[in-house]
Amino acid sequence: MIPAYIPNPVAAVTGGGTPVDCGRRWRDGIRIFGDGKTFRGLFGGVTAGILAGFLLLLLEGHLGISIHTPLSVVLLAAGALLGDLVKSFVKRRLRKERGEQWLIADQYDLVAGALVLCVLVDPAWVAARITPLVLLWILLITPLLHRGANIIGYLAGVKDVPW
Ligand code: CTP
Ligand code: MG
């Protein structure tokens, strides 16, 4: 899941500038995604996730194991921030402010986005690699990693809130 875990924290560092919705509003009069989703965050985050994934592929080559493929790396990295974007879209429709806490959704958006994109584009990889035990591990460690990374981001000053 490393290619899916890297994009969010990197987006918090590279983010800023033009928001993905370009300031536009949905028909309910509220922003489509809000100022927390920017092009710089999206591209910086996905690029970093893909780079991390390719390092992982090199490491796997050295160790003689094969878990990832170039395709799975790209799908996990892009899916993570697409999930985050969909989460923010729903969050705005529920009248939740940018940065407001939304338990479960804030933690699992990247997992859902990454795995859904993999299932849609490369179901054979999911069937081979995401066993029930792997999925259980993902569900257990994701909230811990999410919380830990956000506390570090908050202390480092790149996040306004520690969640
Ligand atoms: N970020 C970004 N572009 C993205 C994702 C994140 O620029 N596609 C940056 C923003 O600066 C954002 C920060 O990373 O504030 C933290 O991301 P996140 O917690 O997902 O955003 P929130 O500000 O909490 O917004 P939302 O309520 O929409 O989740
Ligand atoms: Mg948030």
Side-chain angles (χ1 to χ4, degrees), residues 87 91 99-100 106 159 161 163:
K87 185 272 316 266
K91 212 169 161 181
E100 194 179 324
D106 276 333
K159 283 222 30 145
V161 287
W163 51 76

Side-chain angles (χ1 to χ4, degrees), residues 58-152:
L58 288 178
L59 183 68
E60 287 182 13
H62 271 292
L63 298 175
I65 52 175
S66 132
I67 296 168
H68 283 286
T69 64
L71 180 61
S72 76
V73 161
V74 172
L75 294 175
L76 287 170
L81 283 192
L82 285 177
D84 177 59
L85 206 57
V86 170
K87 185 272 316 266
S88 288
F89 175 78
V90 178
K91 212 169 161 181
R92 297 295 92 80
R93 306 290 73 75
L94 295 175
R95 308 283 189 274
K96 290 183 189 291
E97 299 284 338
R98 171 202 175 174
E100 194 179 324
Q101 204 169 16
W102 187 19
L103 282 175
I104 311 296
D106 276 333
Q107 283 77 27
Y108 289 111
D109 55 356
L110 68 117
V111 170
L115 294 184
V116 166
L117 194 61
C118 286
V119 166
L120 291 176
V121 181
D122 193 358
W125 182 82
V126 176
R129 298 296 168 208
I130 311 294
T131 61
L133 190 62
V134 169
L135 188 62
L136 182 66
W137 267 108
I138 291 171
L139 295 180
L140 286 175
I141 64 171
T142 297
L144 300 175
L145 289 174
H146 187 267
R147 189 83 178 120
N150 284 329
I151 289 172
I152 293 170

